[in-house]
Amino acid sequence: MSLKDFARKRFLIVDELDTFRFSTKKTLMELGLKLIDTASNAQSVIAGFQSVNYDVILCNYELGKGKNGQELLEELRYRKLLKFNSLFFIITSEVEKHKVMGTLENEPDGYLVKPVTPRELETRLSKSLTIVEAMRQINTAIDEGDYASAVTYCDRKIVEDSRYTLRCLKIKTWLLTRLGDLDAAQQVYEALLKDQEILWAQFGLARIHMQRKRYPAAETLLQQMLAQHPEQVEALDLLAEIKRRQGEIATAQELVEQAISISPNSLLRQKQHADLCVANEAPDKAIESFRKLVKLSDYSVYAKPEQFFDFAKILTQEAAKDPTPEKSALLKEAHELLTKGKRRFESVPCIEQQSQLMNANLDAILGHTDEALLELETLMGGDALPEYTSETFQLAAEVYQRLGLHDRAAEMLEHAADMAAGDFARISSIYDQLNGSISREIRQQAAQINKLGIKLYESGDIEQAAEQLRQAIPLTPRHISLNLNLIQILLKLHKQRPSPALLQETERYLCKVRHIPKEHREYKRYAFLRKQYESRLQALEGING
């Protein structure tokens, strides 16, 4: 197909230079296209997408002041403004390796180096638009959130036209993982890899293995990928996450450093590196990564106040090592960072209160307990809790924890979790904070008791199993699987000898894990046990009534 066949498609050319916008528009019109808009900066593109769905975006990497092409693509994808049926091409004269890699990670549909000839432009656009038309039904279903139908359309397309088999299988496995059907996705990946090495299939299968805690299998696949393609930053990132989960922090840090040497302009990767450096007690490296993060945050959609706050904490912790921390340049930098953060995130709800809470946190780190407590109670005191965001209550809890006021901290986190209902990432963060003070030794002790309880349950000694798990719960009160195990045992006991006291105890443990989001691997079991509990409760109320 020629470009004339796509004359009704809407095109957008984005470049800071008038000459490039004019010449590219002229070329497209000569190739038979008519609906062509232009923009000189990222902000006008984002505003334009509110009213127009562009079919093709030709975007220069450098856009002058403001977001560059990579950051624009990030935001369009993050805000779901760029449809699956749309194409985004990066055009640049930039040949620096790290900028190319940073852009490719955001998966543009094409990458063109200036000067772009009319013939090259026609060839690339015609090919890409032909593919989009072939996949339109699938992509439309994805845009509408109808993933199950999209899977069906993928299967139909494979039968109709084998030219698109691999493309459809890649989309299908992505959809299956989004639907939570990891078994089906794994079967597709494994069938593909029997006959050939396909990078995206190796990576997808490795990610499933990681989700299922099959770390050796995931590592094997990732190492195979890296042996053939050492610049696969996504493989390095995933391997680093596996090492982190296994407690190999130093190795995880080294892997992220390899990824950064290839692609340094990822804000999230710099944050990951900084966190690993903190865990690995390498504050100088952490500070270096945080400084890079701050530079990248000016126009990144992934920038968040928490990143600035975490940086301020590590700066203050290092300043506290000085005999006169108040004179430390690092402490000055921390306070300047809070001020910059207030400006950068001025549209974030409760940013003023969050900044004040962070100031209290810095005082607590320096040992200025009275000042920290005064600031804290000014913001959080009173009979009723103020109307702040979930994130704000988390920050308050952190200060209370640092001051040793753990009951008050738990109250803040309970409230934060109630407010964040349904937000998987936020709930996970809150639970991590609730469990943050539990040592590795205590966790291991609880795990051993849990295993013993499971063995007793499987052998039929239900009473003793319940007693064992009752001992484990106080060690890790918010451990989801542990609470669910005890709930299951208590319901089994209740079936054998119905008792209001057993139901009351069951309710207490259900309450502890009530915030579990639907995306969590234990949610189905939680929902099943909760339904059982409610059924028993209704039966009891019916008898009493």
Side-chain angles (χ1 to χ4, degrees), residues 112-129:
L112 301 168
V113 179
K114 291 180 181 180
V116 185
T117 66
R119 184 174 181 80
E120 181 187 7
L121 196 57
E122 181 178 22
T123 302
R124 295 288 296 277
L125 289 177
S126 295
K127 181 180 179 181
S128 296
L129 284 166

Side-chain angles (χ1 to χ4, degrees), residues 241-414:
E241 174 60 17
I242 289 168
K243 294 297 184 184
R244 185 195 68 80
R245 291 187 180 193
Q246 293 177 300
E248 299 179 43
I249 305 301
T251 304
Q253 180 184 323
E254 290 171 6
L255 288 163
V256 175
E257 285 169 359
Q258 286 183 49
I260 287 173
S261 71
I262 298 166
S263 177
N265 289 337
S266 166
L267 181 146
L268 295 179
R269 185 172 294 117
Q270 292 290 354
K271 179 61 166 65
Q272 182 188 18
H273 182 249
D275 290 342
L276 287 168
C277 289
V278 171
N280 203 33
E281 298 181 359
D284 291 343
K285 281 191 171 185
I287 289 170
E288 182 183 351
S289 269
F290 270 123
R291 284 178 179 148
K292 290 175 182 175
L293 180 153
V294 170
K295 286 182 181 178
L296 292 168
S297 73
D298 286 344
Y299 302 109
S300 174
V301 71
Y302 295 115
K304 299 184 184 301
E306 297 99 300
Q307 297 156 356
F308 280 49
F309 297 155
D310 286 346
F311 186 18
K313 281 187 288 186
I314 190 67
L315 286 169
T316 306
Q317 285 166 357
E318 288 304 294
K321 297 175 183 177
D322 194 293
T324 54
E326 289 76 9
K327 297 179 182 179
S328 169
L330 294 177
L331 184 60
K332 182 182 177 184
E333 184 178 358
H335 286 293
E336 288 173 350
L337 192 65
L338 294 185
T339 302
K340 180 176 181 177
K342 277 199 293 185
R343 290 197 304 269
R344 170 66 179 83
F345 303 105
E346 61 183 356
S347 62
V348 172
C350 297
I351 188 61
E352 181 66 38
Q353 290 85 356
Q354 289 179 19
S355 298
Q356 291 175 25
L357 286 167
M358 273 311 303
N359 195 64
N361 207 346
L362 302 190
D363 276 335
I365 291 170
L366 293 170
H368 303 160
T369 305
D370 291 341
E371 292 90 331
L373 194 56
L374 179 61
E375 291 172 287
L376 193 57
E377 288 304 309
T378 300
L379 287 165
M380 310 304 298
D383 295 333
L385 290 173
E387 295 183 3
Y388 295 154
T389 61
S390 176
E391 296 90 333
T392 310
F393 283 104
Q394 269 193 273
L395 286 171
E398 185 178 343
V399 189
Y400 279 120
Q401 285 172 330
R402 198 177 294 280
L403 294 171
L405 302 171
H406 298 292
D407 289 344
R408 183 67 167 156
E411 181 187 352
M412 297 291 113
L413 291 171
E414 285 280 355

Side-chain angles (χ1 to χ4, degrees), residues 446-462:
Q448 289 171 355
I449 298 173
N450 185 36
K451 286 180 182 177
L452 177 58
I454 292 170
K455 282 184 180 179
L456 289 166
Y457 176 77
E458 290 173 346
S459 67
D461 194 347
I462 311 298

